[in-house]
């Protein structure tokens, strides 16, 4: 009998539908189909793959509202955010549709002949997607992987599979070959593990927790299999005394409470120069209390629920013994609601060191530029961060000093599909996105042609 799991609406705590949980045999069958489809896909001229990806993008564009409503239902994302995320998938496909014709090798002059490099697709790529941003993170992997000539088998999180399943159907509607882009639902311990161990899956892309990512990396190492990891974060939002404090305080809620804080790039530590610490908190409190938490289907909602009851319990655990300064509001009743929360913390507090993955932010003072850099780097993570200052020299110095993969100055926006993305330290391995992302899904082959 086929094993099933129930998908829950996090805003109502009510079941949505039953989804089949694939076993090893079904996973192997999907990989086998992908292997066959990839051979013909890779043999297409670059313009053929480009046209196919653009056709996929057009079909996604025609279904943006449907995809957005699915994300509201399954993930609890506010409808405005969900529409942006669905549009983002189409934009990513359109951008990487230009990659097949950019995958140029090199000619290297050598004595006695000519050396040439080629970018060859790996073959089948396994992509494991988390539950926090099911559409966008999936597209960051499958779009450049397909552009490079690979087939993709994609495993969404069991909590949020619905938009990924629909994207797989839309790929077929767009005319992509059967088996080229397969969405397979199931548990990480079965489907995800099989991606790691199967000899025909030649690269794995994983986004999720650092603990699971470590296991994925270890498994891939045993197979000598390339892996890209985008993992946890404890990003710092550094506010200097010379910054526009009103602007920094107004932007801070969006930097950490977007998607209910369920974001590896969330600026979940606000480091404030001591001389303006009290004033910043005065400005931050009304901004937090005004953050609109509620029905994700409502056009005015800025933050929906947490993803599950168990995750809400985990987030609540971080407030035990914490010095809560103030909180926003959240609905009562059914659903996995949690009010935005600001905590005054010390550097060694759990809430200041571990990834909460919820709408909780720790505020800490610092004394000077060197102290800000020290505090920002006082974590195992290194994914993202923000720096607020009117001093350009300081902005450059601090951005060079903070060990994070992506940073922004006077903004909390630092992730774009046309610029490189990835983390340092325990936040990841490898770089994603950017104009050269398709090369991350190829192997470089070197060929020497003797001329004498």
């Amino acid at each position: 009998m086929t094993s099933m799991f129930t998908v829950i609406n996090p805003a109502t705590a009510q079941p949505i539908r039953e989804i089949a949980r694939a076993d090893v045999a079904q996973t192997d069958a999907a990989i086998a189909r992908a292997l066959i489809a990839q051979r013909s896909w890779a043999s297409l001229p670059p313009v053929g793959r480009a046209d196919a990806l653009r056709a996929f993008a057009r079909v996604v564009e025609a279904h943006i509202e449907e995809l957005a409503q699915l994300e509201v239902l399954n993930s609890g994302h506010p409808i405005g955010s969900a529409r942006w995320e669905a549009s983002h998938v189409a934009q990513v496909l359109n951008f990487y549709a230009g990659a097949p014709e950019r995958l140029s090798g090199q000619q290297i002059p050598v004595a006695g002949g000519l050396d040439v490099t080629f970018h060859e697709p790996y073959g089948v790529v396994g992509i494991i997607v988390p539950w926090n941003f099911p559409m966008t993170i999936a597209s960051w992997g499958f779009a450049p992987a397909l552009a490079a000539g690979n087939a993709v088998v994609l495993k969404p999180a069991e909590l949020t599979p619905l938009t990924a399943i629909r994207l797989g159907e839309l790929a077929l509607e767009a005319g992509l070959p059967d088996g080229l882009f397969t969405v397979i639902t199931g548990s990480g311990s079965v489907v995800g593990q099989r991606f790691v161990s199967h000899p025909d899956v030649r690269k794995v892309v994983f986004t999720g927790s650092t603990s699971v990512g470590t296991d994925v990396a270890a498994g891939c190492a045993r197979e000598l299999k390339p892996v890209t990891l985008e993992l946890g974060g404890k990003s710092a939002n550094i506010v200097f005394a010379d910054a526009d404090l009103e602007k920094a305080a107004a932007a801070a809620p969006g930097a950490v409470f977007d998607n209910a804080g369920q974001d590896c790039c969330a600026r979940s530590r606000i480091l404030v120069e001591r001389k303006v610490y009290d004033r910043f908190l005065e400005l931050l409190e009304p901004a937090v209390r005004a953050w609109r938490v509620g029905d994700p289907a409502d056009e005015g909602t800025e933050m929906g629920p947490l993803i599950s009851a168990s995750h809400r319990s985990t987030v609540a655990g971080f407030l035990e013994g914490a010095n809560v300064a103030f909180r926003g509001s959240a609905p009562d009743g059914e659903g996995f609601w949690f009010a935005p929360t600001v905590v005054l913390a010390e550097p060694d507090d759990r809430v200041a060191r571990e990834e909460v993955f919820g709408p909780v932010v720790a505020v800490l003072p610092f004394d000077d530029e060197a102290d800000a850099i020290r505090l920002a780097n006082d974590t195992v993570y290194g994914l993202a961060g923000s720096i607020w200052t009117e001093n350009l020299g300081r902005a450059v110095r601090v951005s060079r000093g903070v060990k994070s993969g992506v940073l922004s100055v006077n903004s909390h926006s630092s992730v774009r599909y046309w610029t490189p993305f990835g983390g340092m330290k325990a936040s990841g391995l490898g770089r994603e996105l950017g104009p050269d992302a398709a090369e991350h899904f190829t192997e470089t082959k070197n060929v020497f042609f003797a001329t004498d």
Side-chain angles (χ1 to χ4, degrees), residues 304-321:
L306 293 172
I307 192 61
S308 68
S310 63
H311 186 58
R312 181 176 59 183
S313 295
T314 298
V315 173
F318 280 90
L319 299 188
E320 295 175 6

Side-chain angles (χ1 to χ4, degrees), residues 7 23 40 67 117 175 236 254 333 385 389 408:
V7 177
D23 58 20
S40 58
L67 288 165
T117 64
T389 178
S408 58

Side-chain angles (χ1 to χ4, degrees), residues 77-98:
H77 291 190
I79 183 60
S81 299
R83 289 190 184 114
W84 180 90
E85 290 158 19
S87 298
H88 181 86
V89 174
Q91 292 165 358
V92 171
L93 282 165
N94 274 318
F95 181 79
Y96 288 111

Side-chain angles (χ1 to χ4, degrees), residues 138-149:
S139 70
W140 296 353
F142 70 69
L146 292 171

Side-chain angles (χ1 to χ4, degrees), residues 80-146:
S81 299
R83 289 190 184 114
W84 180 90
E85 290 158 19
S87 298
H88 181 86
V89 174
Q91 292 165 358
V92 171
L93 282 165
N94 274 318
F95 181 79
Y96 288 111
E101 295 165 295
R102 294 195 300 257
L103 280 174
S104 302
Q106 300 179 68
Q107 296 182 22
I108 306 170
V110 294
L114 178 69
D115 226 69
V116 180
T117 64
F118 299 94
H119 291 289
E120 303 287 1
Y122 281 111
V124 178
V125 174
I127 299 178
I128 304 169
V129 179
W131 50 257
N132 59 329
F133 289 104
M135 285 192 286
T136 55
I137 292 175
S139 70
W140 296 353
F142 70 69
L146 292 171

